[in-house]
């Protein structure tokens, strides 16, 4: 077991169930295609990393996610519960398997690079929490050395206060925190068009 671990939370690419905000502007089918493009872009940028774990939702979607797996990557279900509960489950499973520095990202930010993940792992040598703020007030990465339930219980997920509240809770618990660079998720038509403009090959 590698001492450092990357987990990517990923949704099954089902029409009407991914990129719902984007779908309101461009339609369900186009939004699903956009999601697949975003995931392809992200995973290609992280392909060099070993021991990556894709955590899928819903739990019965493994067959739909398998084409995204690399030969040395793993696939597990996210399980039930709120986002906070599923994050805690993923952290707990990895720590129980012997990992010491665990980083989790979602699949909404195609700008994350392997260097960002290495930076997060490095930060966890000296800090107890590493977090990457998103432009919408959430975060695109969170990393821990041990489970910190206070960072997940009762958070108002999918709001503009997620990053700020998480940071406040970490500071209140006197946890050493390192903040990474700010990145943007792709959630709206404007976000999608900006992504396409920046990456013509997409």
């Amino acid at each position: 077991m590698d001492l450092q671990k990357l987990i990517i939370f990923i949704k099954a690419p089902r029409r009407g169930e991914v990129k719902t905000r984007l779908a309101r502007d461009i339609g369900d089918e186009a939004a699903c295609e956009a999601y697949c493009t975003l995931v392809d872009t992200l995973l290609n940028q992280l392909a060099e990393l070993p021991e990556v774990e894709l955590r899928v939702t819903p739990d019965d979607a493994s067959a739909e996610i398998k084409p995204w797996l690399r030969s040395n990557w793993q696939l597990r279900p996210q399980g039930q519960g709120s986002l906070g509960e599923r994050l805690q489950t993923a952290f707990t499973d990895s720590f129980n398997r012997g990992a010491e520095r665990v980083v989790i990202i979602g699949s909404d930010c195609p700008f994350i690079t392997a260097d960002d993940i290495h930076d997060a792992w490095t930060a966890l040598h000296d800090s107890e929490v590493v977090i990457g703020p998103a432009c919408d007030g959430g975060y695109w990465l969170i990393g821990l050395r041990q489970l910190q339930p206070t960072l997940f219980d009762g958070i108002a997920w999918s709001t503009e206060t997620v990053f700020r509240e998480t940071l406040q809770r970490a500071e209140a618990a006197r946890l050493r925190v390192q903040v990474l660079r700010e990145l943007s998720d792709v959630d709206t038509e404007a976000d999608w068009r900006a992504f396409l403009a920046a990456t013509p090959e997409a």
Side-chain angles (χ1 to χ4, degrees):
M1 171 69 193
D2 215 344
L3 295 180
Q4 52 194 26
K5 185 85 171 180
L6 171 64
I7 298 171
I8 305 173
F9 270 31
I10 192 166
K11 293 180 180 179
R14 297 178 181 177
R15 188 171 61 180
E17 297 183 21
V18 293
K19 290 292 157 207
T20 53
R21 286 175 61 191
L22 180 59
R24 289 198 290 267
D25 293 322
I26 68 173
D28 288 344
E29 185 169 354
C32 188
E33 291 175 358
Y35 178 72
C36 290
T37 297
L38 295 171
V39 173
D40 285 340
T41 300
L42 174 66
L43 298 187
N44 286 338
Q45 290 171 178
L46 303 178
E48 70 181 55
L49 298 174
E51 298 296 327
V52 174
E53 181 177 293
L54 303 183
R55 285 252 170 177
V56 60
T57 188
D59 288 356
D60 64 356
S62 294
E64 295 159 84
I65 303 300
K66 277 186 178 179
W68 279 322
L69 275 177
R70 270 55 176 182
S71 60
N72 57 345
W73 291 10
Q74 298 173 330
L75 179 64
R76 290 192 173 91
Q78 288 182 28
Q80 303 302 307
S82 67
L83 176 57
E85 290 169 331
R86 287 178 280 130
L87 286 167
Q88 290 190 74
T89 295
F91 276 119
T92 299
D93 287 351
S94 292
F95 291 135
N96 286 344
R97 290 187 177 96
E100 295 182 358
R101 294 174 297 279
V102 181
V103 168
I104 299 181
I105 63 173
S107 50
D108 292 323
C109 180
F111 308 108
I112 303 169
T113 67
D115 285 344
D116 290 314
I117 305 305
H118 285 296
D119 288 346
W121 282 330
T122 298
L124 287 172
H125 284 283
D126 298 315
S127 300
E128 292 156 298
V129 182
V130 60
I131 188 166
C135 296
D136 63 3
Y139 55 75
W140 55 268
L141 176 150
I142 188 163
L144 301 174
R145 294 194 314 204
Q146 64 182 44
L147 185 64
Q148 304 289 348
T150 187
L151 304 184
F152 306 105
D153 293 338
I155 293 285
W157 300 106
S158 300
T159 69
E160 62 185 15
T161 65
V162 171
F163 171 71
R164 183 172 69 248
E165 185 174 356
T166 303
L167 203 59
Q168 289 171 344
R169 290 188 181 197
E171 291 170 349
R174 298 185 177 181
L175 299 174
R176 292 187 300 278
V177 179
Q178 183 158 326
V179 177
L180 303 179
R181 65 183 181 134
E182 185 177 72
L183 293 175
S184 176
D185 290 340
V186 176
D187 291 321
T188 67
E189 184 178 13
D191 296 335
W192 174 239
R193 293 191 182 281
F195 166 75
L196 291 177
T199 54
E201 68 275 10

